[in-house]
């Protein structure tokens, strides 16, 4: 089942690593259909290609594209029949718009898009809820460990890492947009006891913003 999942296109929740043993016949058929006119001209030793109908070739390509799209949707339905409810949900989330952008983005080092081998493997396992090898059975907080707990436990640090990644990306975008005096986590002035604020306002000493900038 895992091999079938990763053979799906990224837009359907896969990794786009096709299985040639299952796609070779279909791709060969598509190639024959698209080049049929050209092959006929070569066999007839035609010297001019002006009579080749580009409109017909475009129609053949579109028909084959629609046929392939239907076959992929049928493949997804077949895969889901062999998955647990949680795995089905993970596949559905992976197929949402934008959920696979990190797989097709350029690995730009300045934007920290270049994952090392371990980071990439763990990201794939989290994407499909696969078991991470050598993962501790219990978290440092004492509770039983799993992917969901590791991503949410405040003692583990992952919530802070995700927060900081978003914070740094926002600051980078502000700088590229032309904002001046962009600062990360600047300190706020201490509040006096006589000042009234919204009930959720952080009035503790040492309070900080995530990002500040002047346009």
């Amino acid at each position: 089942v895992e091999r079938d999942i990763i053979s799906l296109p990224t837009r359907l929740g896969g990794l786009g690593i096709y299985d040639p043993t299952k796609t070779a016949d279909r791709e060969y058929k598509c190639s024959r259909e698209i080049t049929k006119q050209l092959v006929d001209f070569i066999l007839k030793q035609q010297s001019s290609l002006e009579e080749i109908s580009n409109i017909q070739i475009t129609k053949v390509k579109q028909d084959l594209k629609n046929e392939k799209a239907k076959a992929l949707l049928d493949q997804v339905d077949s895969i889901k029949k062999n998955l647990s409810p949680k795995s089905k949900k993970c596949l559905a989330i992976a197929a949402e718009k934008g959920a696979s952008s990190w797989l097709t983005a350029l690995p730009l080092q300045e934007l920290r898009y270049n994952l090392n081998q371990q980071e990439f493997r763990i990201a794939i396992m989290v994407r499909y809820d696969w078991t991470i090898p050598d993962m501790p059975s219990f978290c440092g907080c004492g509770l039983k460990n799993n992917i969901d707990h590791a991503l949410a436990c405040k003692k583990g640090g992952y919530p802070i890492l995700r927060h900081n990644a978003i914070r740094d990306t926002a600051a980078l975008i502000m700088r590229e947009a032309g904002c001046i005096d962009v600062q990360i986590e600047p300190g706020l002035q201490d509040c006096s006891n006589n000042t009234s604020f919204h009930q959720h306002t952080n009035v503790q000493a040492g309070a900080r913003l995530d990002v500040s900038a002047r346009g």
Side-chain angles (χ1 to χ4, degrees):
V1 177
E2 287 82 1
R3 185 62 183 90
D4 293 334
I5 291 176
I6 64 177
S7 68
L8 294 172
T10 55
R11 69 178 186 277
L12 296 179
L15 299 181
I17 305 176
Y18 299 107
D19 185 353
T21 63
K22 295 183 178 180
T23 61
D25 291 341
R26 183 182 65 201
E27 297 300 328
Y28 176 70
K29 174 188 173 184
C30 293
S31 179
R32 288 286 301 268
E33 291 292 331
I34 294 173
T35 60
K36 186 176 184 303
Q37 288 190 74
L38 182 60
V39 171
D40 291 341
F41 269 67
I42 293 175
L43 293 176
K44 294 178 182 178
Q45 295 294 300
Q46 296 285 349
S47 59
S48 175
L49 301 179
E50 295 180 356
E51 296 183 9
I52 290 181
S53 176
N54 290 327
I55 297 177
Q56 183 177 352
I57 293 177
T58 301
K59 183 179 181 302
V60 171
K61 287 182 177 180
Q62 187 61 48
D63 292 342
L64 293 173
K65 183 178 179 180
N66 295 337
E67 182 180 338
K68 181 179 180 180
K70 184 179 182 302
L72 288 173
L73 292 177
D74 292 340
Q75 183 180 350
V76 172
D77 293 337
S78 176
I79 291 173
K80 287 182 177 179
K81 293 179 181 179
N82 299 319
L83 296 178
S84 64
K86 188 173 182 180
S87 296
K88 287 182 182 178
K89 187 175 182 180
C90 289
L91 184 60
I93 293 174
E96 290 183 354
K97 185 176 181 181
S100 302
S101 299
W102 65 279
L103 288 168
T104 56
L106 294 175
L108 302 176
Q109 185 174 0
E110 58 270 22
L111 297 178
R112 297 189 297 276
Y113 289 169
N114 55 329
L115 303 180
N116 59 41
Q117 185 179 29
Q118 182 181 16
E119 290 171 340
F120 182 78
R121 285 184 174 180
I122 292 177
I124 294 300
M125 292 174 184
V126 171
R127 175 180 171 90
Y128 299 117
D129 192 40
W130 292 343
T131 302
I132 299 178
D134 301 326
M135 187 175 185
S137 301
F138 290 89
C139 178
C141 67
L143 297 178
K144 190 173 181 180
N145 203 14
N146 54 42
I147 291 178
D148 293 335
H149 179 80
L151 293 174
C153 181
K154 295 182 180 180
K155 192 167 186 178
Y158 285 109
I160 297 175
L161 291 174
R162 293 198 301 272
H163 167 272
N164 291 349
I166 296 173
R167 177 202 63 193
D168 295 343
T169 301
L172 177 63
I173 293 174
M174 289 179 181
R175 293 190 182 100
E176 292 182 348
C179 296
I180 59 176
D181 195 22
V182 178
Q183 299 183 45
I184 293 178
E185 295 192 357
L188 298 176
Q189 293 182 352
D190 293 337
C191 303
S192 63
N193 295 330
N194 298 328
T195 307
S196 60
F197 295 96
H198 190 274
Q199 61 177 345
H200 298 298
T201 302
N202 186 357
V203 295
Q204 296 180 356
R208 296 171 295 175
L209 290 173
D210 284 330
V211 182
S212 69
R214 290 188 291 132

PDB file of all heavy atoms in Angstrom, residues 172-206:
ATOM      1  N   LEU A 172      11.193  38.023   7.158  1.00  0.00           N
ATOM      2  CA  LEU A 172      11.882  38.010   5.869  1.00  0.00           C
ATOM      3  C   LEU A 172      11.018  38.630   4.774  1.00  0.00           C
ATOM      4  O   LEU A 172      11.507  39.419   3.953  1.00  0.00           O
ATOM      5  CB  LEU A 172      12.256  36.570   5.502  1.00  0.00           C
ATOM      6  CG  LEU A 172      12.921  36.366   4.137  1.00  0.00           C
ATOM      7  CD1 LEU A 172      14.259  37.091   4.088  1.00  0.00           C
ATOM      8  CD2 LEU A 172      13.113  34.880   3.848  1.00  0.00           C
ATOM      9  N   ILE A 173       9.729  38.293   4.776  1.00  0.00           N
ATOM     10  CA  ILE A 173       8.822  38.851   3.766  1.00  0.00           C
ATOM     11  C   ILE A 173       8.695  40.356   3.942  1.00  0.00           C
ATOM     12  O   ILE A 173       8.652  41.114   2.956  1.00  0.00           O
ATOM     13  CB  ILE A 173       7.442  38.162   3.864  1.00  0.00           C
ATOM     14  CG1 ILE A 173       7.558  36.690   3.449  1.00  0.00           C
ATOM     15  CG2 ILE A 173       6.420  38.874   2.988  1.00  0.00           C
ATOM     16  CD1 ILE A 173       6.288  35.908   3.653  1.00  0.00           C
ATOM     17  N   MET A 174       8.641  40.827   5.183  1.00  0.00           N
ATOM     18  CA  MET A 174       8.572  42.267   5.431  1.00  0.00           C
ATOM     19  C   MET A 174       9.801  42.993   4.896  1.00  0.00           C
ATOM     20  O   MET A 174       9.694  44.074   4.298  1.00  0.00           O
ATOM     21  CB  MET A 174       8.429  42.525   6.937  1.00  0.00           C
ATOM     22  CG  MET A 174       7.085  42.155   7.520  1.00  0.00           C
ATOM     23  SD  MET A 174       7.012  42.459   9.302  1.00  0.00           S
ATOM     24  CE  MET A 174       5.357  41.898   9.681  1.00  0.00           C
ATOM     25  N   ARG A 175      10.979  42.405   5.104  1.00  0.00           N
ATOM     26  CA  ARG A 175      12.209  43.026   4.592  1.00  0.00           C
ATOM     27  C   ARG A 175      12.207  43.072   3.075  1.00  0.00           C
ATOM     28  O   ARG A 175      12.589  44.077   2.466  1.00  0.00           O
ATOM     29  CB  ARG A 175      13.434  42.251   5.098  1.00  0.00           C
ATOM     30  CG  ARG A 175      13.655  42.352   6.605  1.00  0.00           C
ATOM     31  CD  ARG A 175      15.009  41.764   7.005  1.00  0.00           C
ATOM     32  NE  ARG A 175      15.199  41.810   8.452  1.00  0.00           N
ATOM     33  CZ  ARG A 175      15.018  40.805   9.268  1.00  0.00           C
ATOM     34  NH1 ARG A 175      14.616  39.626   8.776  1.00  0.00           N
ATOM     35  NH2 ARG A 175      15.222  40.927  10.569  1.00  0.00           N
ATOM     36  N   GLU A 176      11.783  41.959   2.442  1.00  0.00           N
ATOM     37  CA  GLU A 176      11.746  41.921   0.983  1.00  0.00           C
ATOM     38  C   GLU A 176      10.691  42.869   0.423  1.00  0.00           C
ATOM     39  O   GLU A 176      10.831  43.357  -0.703  1.00  0.00           O
ATOM     40  CB  GLU A 176      11.464  40.493   0.505  1.00  0.00           C
ATOM     41  CG  GLU A 176      12.601  39.526   0.782  1.00  0.00           C
ATOM     42  CD  GLU A 176      12.319  38.131   0.257  1.00  0.00           C
ATOM     43  OE1 GLU A 176      11.152  37.874  -0.115  1.00  0.00           O
ATOM     44  OE2 GLU A 176      13.256  37.306   0.236  1.00  0.00           O
ATOM     45  N   ALA A 177       9.630  43.142   1.211  1.00  0.00           N
ATOM     46  CA  ALA A 177       8.577  44.065   0.766  1.00  0.00           C
ATOM     47  C   ALA A 177       8.992  45.530   0.924  1.00  0.00           C
ATOM     48  O   ALA A 177       8.254  46.415   0.489  1.00  0.00           O
ATOM     49  CB  ALA A 177       7.292  43.801   1.546  1.00  0.00           C
ATOM     50  N   GLY A 178      10.140  45.785   1.538  1.00  0.00           N
ATOM     51  CA  GLY A 178      10.625  47.152   1.661  1.00  0.00           C
ATOM     52  C   GLY A 178      10.382  47.794   3.007  1.00  0.00           C
ATOM     53  O   GLY A 178      10.634  48.999   3.166  1.00  0.00           O
ATOM     54  N   CYS A 179       9.888  47.048   3.989  1.00  0.00           N
ATOM     55  CA  CYS A 179       9.684  47.623   5.322  1.00  0.00           C
ATOM     56  C   CYS A 179      11.042  47.928   5.957  1.00  0.00           C
ATOM     57  O   CYS A 179      12.036  47.266   5.679  1.00  0.00           O
ATOM     58  CB  CYS A 179       8.899  46.651   6.205  1.00  0.00           C
ATOM     59  SG  CYS A 179       7.221  46.312   5.633  1.00  0.00           S
ATOM     60  N   ILE A 180      11.060  48.938   6.790  1.00  0.00           N
ATOM     61  CA  ILE A 180      12.298  49.329   7.451  1.00  0.00           C
ATOM     62  C   ILE A 180      12.195  49.030   8.945  1.00  0.00           C
ATOM     63  O   ILE A 180      11.101  48.888   9.494  1.00  0.00           O
ATOM     64  CB  ILE A 180      12.613  50.820   7.224  1.00  0.00           C
ATOM     65  CG1 ILE A 180      11.475  51.699   7.755  1.00  0.00           C
ATOM     66  CG2 ILE A 180      12.853  51.100   5.756  1.00  0.00           C
ATOM     67  CD1 ILE A 180      11.760  53.179   7.660  1.00  0.00           C
ATOM     68  N   ASP A 181      13.360  48.951   9.566  1.00  0.00           N
ATOM     69  CA  ASP A 181      13.446  48.713  11.003  1.00  0.00           C
ATOM     70  C   ASP A 181      12.664  47.453  11.403  1.00  0.00           C
ATOM     71  O   ASP A 181      11.888  47.448  12.364  1.00  0.00           O
ATOM     72  CB  ASP A 181      12.930  49.930  11.780  1.00  0.00           C
ATOM     73  CG  ASP A 181      13.328  49.880  13.255  1.00  0.00           C
ATOM     74  OD1 ASP A 181      14.306  49.177  13.567  1.00  0.00           O
ATOM     75  OD2 ASP A 181      12.648  50.515  14.083  1.00  0.00           O
ATOM     76  N   VAL A 182      12.868  46.379  10.650  1.00  0.00           N
ATOM     77  CA  VAL A 182      12.211  45.104  10.966  1.00  0.00           C
ATOM     78  C   VAL A 182      12.959  44.462  12.133  1.00  0.00           C
ATOM     79  O   VAL A 182      14.170  44.244  12.070  1.00  0.00           O
ATOM     80  CB  VAL A 182      12.199  44.157   9.759  1.00  0.00           C
ATOM     81  CG1 VAL A 182      11.559  42.824  10.129  1.00  0.00           C
ATOM     82  CG2 VAL A 182      11.463  44.799   8.590  1.00  0.00           C
ATOM     83  N   GLN A 183      12.239  44.166  13.187  1.00  0.00           N
ATOM     84  CA  GLN A 183      12.845  43.566  14.371  1.00  0.00           C
ATOM     85  C   GLN A 183      12.072  42.307  14.762  1.00  0.00           C
ATOM     86  O   GLN A 183      10.848  42.257  14.638  1.00  0.00           O
ATOM     87  CB  GLN A 183      12.838  44.544  15.552  1.00  0.00           C
ATOM     88  CG  GLN A 183      13.622  45.825  15.312  1.00  0.00           C
ATOM     89  CD  GLN A 183      13.626  46.712  16.538  1.00  0.00           C
ATOM     90  OE1 GLN A 183      13.839  46.237  17.656  1.00  0.00           O
ATOM     91  NE2 GLN A 183      13.378  48.006  16.340  1.00  0.00           N
ATOM     92  N   ILE A 184      12.815  41.329  15.254  1.00  0.00           N
ATOM     93  CA  ILE A 184      12.213  40.087  15.731  1.00  0.00           C
ATOM     94  C   ILE A 184      12.168  40.119  17.254  1.00  0.00           C
ATOM     95  O   ILE A 184      13.190  40.321  17.910  1.00  0.00           O
ATOM     96  CB  ILE A 184      13.011  38.869  15.242  1.00  0.00           C
ATOM     97  CG1 ILE A 184      12.899  38.746  13.719  1.00  0.00           C
ATOM     98  CG2 ILE A 184      12.517  37.589  15.909  1.00  0.00           C
ATOM     99  CD1 ILE A 184      13.699  37.608  13.143  1.00  0.00           C
ATOM    100  N   GLU A 185      10.967  39.942  17.783  1.00  0.00           N
ATOM    101  CA  GLU A 185      10.704  39.923  19.228  1.00  0.00           C
ATOM    102  C   GLU A 185      11.291  41.139  19.962  1.00  0.00           C
ATOM    103  O   GLU A 185      12.089  40.985  20.896  1.00  0.00           O
ATOM    104  CB  GLU A 185      11.218  38.620  19.849  1.00  0.00           C
ATOM    105  CG  GLU A 185      10.478  37.388  19.361  1.00  0.00           C
ATOM    106  CD  GLU A 185      10.776  36.140  20.181  1.00  0.00           C
ATOM    107  OE1 GLU A 185      11.605  36.242  21.099  1.00  0.00           O
ATOM    108  OE2 GLU A 185      10.162  35.091  19.899  1.00  0.00           O
ATOM    109  N   PRO A 186      10.891  42.339  19.531  1.00  0.00           N
ATOM    110  CA  PRO A 186      11.336  43.520  20.281  1.00  0.00           C
ATOM    111  C   PRO A 186      10.584  43.616  21.610  1.00  0.00           C
ATOM    112  O   PRO A 186       9.419  43.220  21.715  1.00  0.00           O
ATOM    113  CB  PRO A 186      10.970  44.681  19.356  1.00  0.00           C
ATOM    114  CG  PRO A 186       9.784  44.176  18.609  1.00  0.00           C
ATOM    115  CD  PRO A 186      10.031  42.694  18.394  1.00  0.00           C
ATOM    116  N   GLY A 187      11.242  44.113  22.626  1.00  0.00           N
ATOM    117  CA  GLY A 187      10.599  44.253  23.934  1.00  0.00           C
ATOM    118  C   GLY A 187       9.600  45.388  23.963  1.00  0.00           C
ATOM    119  O   GLY A 187       9.728  46.383  23.238  1.00  0.00           O
ATOM    120  N   LEU A 188       8.573  45.237  24.791  1.00  0.00           N
ATOM    121  CA  LEU A 188       7.546  46.263  24.959  1.00  0.00           C
ATOM    122  C   LEU A 188       7.793  47.032  26.257  1.00  0.00           C
ATOM    123  O   LEU A 188       8.402  46.523  27.201  1.00  0.00           O
ATOM    124  CB  LEU A 188       6.157  45.624  24.979  1.00  0.00           C
ATOM    125  CG  LEU A 188       5.723  44.872  23.711  1.00  0.00           C
ATOM    126  CD1 LEU A 188       4.372  44.218  23.940  1.00  0.00           C
ATOM    127  CD2 LEU A 188       5.654  45.816  22.517  1.00  0.00           C
ATOM    128  N   GLN A 189       7.296  48.246  26.287  1.00  0.00           N
ATOM    129  CA  GLN A 189       7.411  49.035  27.506  1.00  0.00           C
ATOM    130  C   GLN A 189       6.538  48.426  28.598  1.00  0.00           C
ATOM    131  O   GLN A 189       5.451  47.913  28.342  1.00  0.00           O
ATOM    132  CB  GLN A 189       6.982  50.485  27.250  1.00  0.00           C
ATOM    133  CG  GLN A 189       7.910  51.256  26.322  1.00  0.00           C
ATOM    134  CD  GLN A 189       7.460  52.697  26.138  1.00  0.00           C
ATOM    135  OE1 GLN A 189       6.374  53.069  26.586  1.00  0.00           O
ATOM    136  NE2 GLN A 189       8.291  53.484  25.494  1.00  0.00           N
ATOM    137  N   ASP A 190       7.059  48.490  29.814  1.00  0.00           N
ATOM    138  CA  ASP A 190       6.289  47.967  30.939  1.00  0.00           C
ATOM    139  C   ASP A 190       5.033  48.789  31.154  1.00  0.00           C
ATOM    140  O   ASP A 190       5.022  50.016  30.965  1.00  0.00           O
ATOM    141  CB  ASP A 190       7.141  47.986  32.212  1.00  0.00           C
ATOM    142  CG  ASP A 190       8.303  47.005  32.131  1.00  0.00           C
ATOM    143  OD1 ASP A 190       8.201  46.047  31.338  1.00  0.00           O
ATOM    144  OD2 ASP A 190       9.310  47.208  32.838  1.00  0.00           O
ATOM    145  N   CYS A 191       3.946  48.109  31.527  1.00  0.00           N
ATOM    146  CA  CYS A 191       2.655  48.765  31.728  1.00  0.00           C
ATOM    147  C   CYS A 191       2.503  49.168  33.193  1.00  0.00           C
ATOM    148  O   CYS A 191       2.913  48.435  34.102  1.00  0.00           O
ATOM    149  CB  CYS A 191       1.512  47.842  31.325  1.00  0.00           C
ATOM    150  SG  CYS A 191       1.619  47.260  29.624  1.00  0.00           S
ATOM    151  N   SER A 192       1.890  50.311  33.401  1.00  0.00           N
ATOM    152  CA  SER A 192       1.591  50.743  34.770  1.00  0.00           C
ATOM    153  C   SER A 192       0.320  50.060  35.249  1.00  0.00           C
ATOM    154  O   SER A 192      -0.531  49.648  34.457  1.00  0.00           O
ATOM    155  CB  SER A 192       1.424  52.269  34.811  1.00  0.00           C
ATOM    156  OG  SER A 192       0.320  52.669  34.016  1.00  0.00           O
ATOM    157  N   ASN A 193       0.173  49.929  36.539  1.00  0.00           N
ATOM    158  CA  ASN A 193      -0.990  49.247  37.111  1.00  0.00           C
ATOM    159  C   ASN A 193      -2.280  50.020  36.897  1.00  0.00           C
ATOM    160  O   ASN A 193      -3.368  49.468  37.000  1.00  0.00           O
ATOM    161  CB  ASN A 193      -0.771  49.013  38.611  1.00  0.00           C
ATOM    162  CG  ASN A 193       0.393  48.059  38.861  1.00  0.00           C
ATOM    163  OD1 ASN A 193       0.661  47.178  38.040  1.00  0.00           O
ATOM    164  ND2 ASN A 193       1.092  48.251  39.981  1.00  0.00           N
ATOM    165  N   ASN A 194      -2.167  51.320  36.619  1.00  0.00           N
ATOM    166  CA  ASN A 194      -3.360  52.148  36.471  1.00  0.00           C
ATOM    167  C   ASN A 194      -3.918  52.134  35.046  1.00  0.00           C
ATOM    168  O   ASN A 194      -4.960  52.717  34.796  1.00  0.00           O
ATOM    169  CB  ASN A 194      -3.043  53.598  36.871  1.00  0.00           C
ATOM    170  CG  ASN A 194      -2.624  53.702  38.332  1.00  0.00           C
ATOM    171  OD1 ASN A 194      -3.100  52.927  39.164  1.00  0.00           O
ATOM    172  ND2 ASN A 194      -1.734  54.639  38.641  1.00  0.00           N
ATOM    173  N   THR A 195      -3.195  51.509  34.132  1.00  0.00           N
ATOM    174  CA  THR A 195      -3.635  51.491  32.740  1.00  0.00           C
ATOM    175  C   THR A 195      -4.544  50.290  32.502  1.00  0.00           C
ATOM    176  O   THR A 195      -4.247  49.173  32.938  1.00  0.00           O
ATOM    177  CB  THR A 195      -2.427  51.409  31.794  1.00  0.00           C
ATOM    178  OG1 THR A 195      -1.506  52.452  32.121  1.00  0.00           O
ATOM    179  CG2 THR A 195      -2.863  51.567  30.351  1.00  0.00           C
ATOM    180  N   SER A 196      -5.657  50.517  31.817  1.00  0.00           N
ATOM    181  CA  SER A 196      -6.601  49.432  31.527  1.00  0.00           C
ATOM    182  C   SER A 196      -6.360  48.907  30.116  1.00  0.00           C
ATOM    183  O   SER A 196      -6.166  49.689  29.174  1.00  0.00           O
ATOM    184  CB  SER A 196      -8.046  49.928  31.653  1.00  0.00           C
ATOM    185  OG  SER A 196      -8.289  50.988  30.743  1.00  0.00           O
ATOM    186  N   PHE A 197      -6.366  47.586  29.960  1.00  0.00           N
ATOM    187  CA  PHE A 197      -6.145  46.945  28.674  1.00  0.00           C
ATOM    188  C   PHE A 197      -7.205  45.876  28.468  1.00  0.00           C
ATOM    189  O   PHE A 197      -7.982  45.553  29.371  1.00  0.00           O
ATOM    190  CB  PHE A 197      -4.751  46.298  28.612  1.00  0.00           C
ATOM    191  CG  PHE A 197      -3.615  47.288  28.671  1.00  0.00           C
ATOM    192  CD1 PHE A 197      -2.989  47.558  29.884  1.00  0.00           C
ATOM    193  CD2 PHE A 197      -3.174  47.934  27.537  1.00  0.00           C
ATOM    194  CE1 PHE A 197      -1.943  48.447  29.947  1.00  0.00           C
ATOM    195  CE2 PHE A 197      -2.125  48.833  27.597  1.00  0.00           C
ATOM    196  CZ  PHE A 197      -1.508  49.099  28.799  1.00  0.00           C
ATOM    197  N   HIS A 198      -7.196  45.326  27.229  1.00  0.00           N
ATOM    198  CA  HIS A 198      -8.067  44.193  26.935  1.00  0.00           C
ATOM    199  C   HIS A 198      -7.700  43.028  27.851  1.00  0.00           C
ATOM    200  O   HIS A 198      -6.542  42.869  28.260  1.00  0.00           O
ATOM    201  CB  HIS A 198      -7.909  43.792  25.463  1.00  0.00           C
ATOM    202  CG  HIS A 198      -8.918  42.793  24.999  1.00  0.00           C
ATOM    203  ND1 HIS A 198      -8.744  41.434  25.150  1.00  0.00           N
ATOM    204  CD2 HIS A 198     -10.122  42.958  24.395  1.00  0.00           C
ATOM    205  CE1 HIS A 198      -9.787  40.798  24.660  1.00  0.00           C
ATOM    206  NE2 HIS A 198     -10.637  41.697  24.182  1.00  0.00           N
ATOM    207  N   GLN A 199      -8.689  42.206  28.178  1.00  0.00           N
ATOM    208  CA  GLN A 199      -8.466  41.156  29.172  1.00  0.00           C
ATOM    209  C   GLN A 199      -7.409  40.142  28.751  1.00  0.00           C
ATOM    210  O   GLN A 199      -6.792  39.487  29.595  1.00  0.00           O
ATOM    211  CB  GLN A 199      -9.789  40.437  29.458  1.00  0.00           C
ATOM    212  CG  GLN A 199     -10.403  39.761  28.228  1.00  0.00           C
ATOM    213  CD  GLN A 199     -11.670  38.999  28.556  1.00  0.00           C
ATOM    214  OE1 GLN A 199     -11.951  38.742  29.719  1.00  0.00           O
ATOM    215  NE2 GLN A 199     -12.431  38.635  27.538  1.00  0.00           N
ATOM    216  N   HIS A 200      -7.166  39.987  27.443  1.00  0.00           N
ATOM    217  CA  HIS A 200      -6.181  39.023  26.974  1.00  0.00           C
ATOM    218  C   HIS A 200      -4.821  39.661  26.700  1.00  0.00           C
ATOM    219  O   HIS A 200      -3.919  38.981  26.194  1.00  0.00           O
ATOM    220  CB  HIS A 200      -6.685  38.322  25.711  1.00  0.00           C
ATOM    221  CG  HIS A 200      -7.951  37.534  25.921  1.00  0.00           C
ATOM    222  ND1 HIS A 200      -8.014  36.464  26.789  1.00  0.00           N
ATOM    223  CD2 HIS A 200      -9.191  37.674  25.392  1.00  0.00           C
ATOM    224  CE1 HIS A 200      -9.243  35.958  26.772  1.00  0.00           C
ATOM    225  NE2 HIS A 200      -9.979  36.680  25.931  1.00  0.00           N
ATOM    226  N   THR A 201      -4.666  40.934  27.015  1.00  0.00           N
ATOM    227  CA  THR A 201      -3.396  41.610  26.767  1.00  0.00           C
ATOM    228  C   THR A 201      -2.316  41.119  27.739  1.00  0.00           C
ATOM    229  O   THR A 201      -2.576  40.957  28.930  1.00  0.00           O
ATOM    230  CB  THR A 201      -3.561  43.135  26.907  1.00  0.00           C
ATOM    231  OG1 THR A 201      -4.563  43.575  25.989  1.00  0.00           O
ATOM    232  CG2 THR A 201      -2.247  43.845  26.613  1.00  0.00           C
ATOM    233  N   ASN A 202      -1.146  40.870  27.211  1.00  0.00           N
ATOM    234  CA  ASN A 202      -0.018  40.444  28.041  1.00  0.00           C
ATOM    235  C   ASN A 202       0.615  41.680  28.684  1.00  0.00           C
ATOM    236  O   ASN A 202       1.243  42.497  28.007  1.00  0.00           O
ATOM    237  CB  ASN A 202       1.018  39.709  27.188  1.00  0.00           C
ATOM    238  CG  ASN A 202       2.146  39.122  28.021  1.00  0.00           C
ATOM    239  OD1 ASN A 202       2.201  39.304  29.239  1.00  0.00           O
ATOM    240  ND2 ASN A 202       3.049  38.410  27.362  1.00  0.00           N
ATOM    241  N   VAL A 203       0.444  41.839  29.982  1.00  0.00           N
ATOM    242  CA  VAL A 203       0.951  43.014  30.697  1.00  0.00           C
ATOM    243  C   VAL A 203       2.119  42.633  31.619  1.00  0.00           C
ATOM    244  O   VAL A 203       2.547  43.443  32.443  1.00  0.00           O
ATOM    245  CB  VAL A 203      -0.177  43.677  31.519  1.00  0.00           C
ATOM    246  CG1 VAL A 203      -1.248  44.231  30.597  1.00  0.00           C
ATOM    247  CG2 VAL A 203      -0.782  42.690  32.525  1.00  0.00           C
ATOM    248  N   GLN A 204       2.648  41.424  31.453  1.00  0.00           N
ATOM    249  CA  GLN A 204       3.751  41.001  32.307  1.00  0.00           C
ATOM    250  C   GLN A 204       5.039  41.714  31.915  1.00  0.00           C
ATOM    251  O   GLN A 204       5.203  42.166  30.774  1.00  0.00           O
ATOM    252  CB  GLN A 204       3.951  39.489  32.200  1.00  0.00           C
ATOM    253  CG  GLN A 204       2.769  38.667  32.716  1.00  0.00           C
ATOM    254  CD  GLN A 204       3.013  37.181  32.578  1.00  0.00           C
ATOM    255  OE1 GLN A 204       4.029  36.767  32.033  1.00  0.00           O
ATOM    256  NE2 GLN A 204       2.090  36.385  33.084  1.00  0.00           N
ATOM    257  N   ALA A 205       5.936  41.806  32.854  1.00  0.00           N
ATOM    258  CA  ALA A 205       7.236  42.416  32.579  1.00  0.00           C
ATOM    259  C   ALA A 205       8.016  41.566  31.585  1.00  0.00           C
ATOM    260  O   ALA A 205       8.013  40.336  31.665  1.00  0.00           O
ATOM    261  CB  ALA A 205       8.011  42.562  33.885  1.00  0.00           C
ATOM    262  N   GLY A 206       8.650  42.217  30.624  1.00  0.00           N
ATOM    263  CA  GLY A 206       9.418  41.494  29.615  1.00  0.00           C
ATOM    264  C   GLY A 206       8.586  41.006  28.436  1.00  0.00           C
ATOM    265  O   GLY A 206       9.068  40.184  27.649  1.00  0.00           O
TER     266      GLY A 206
END
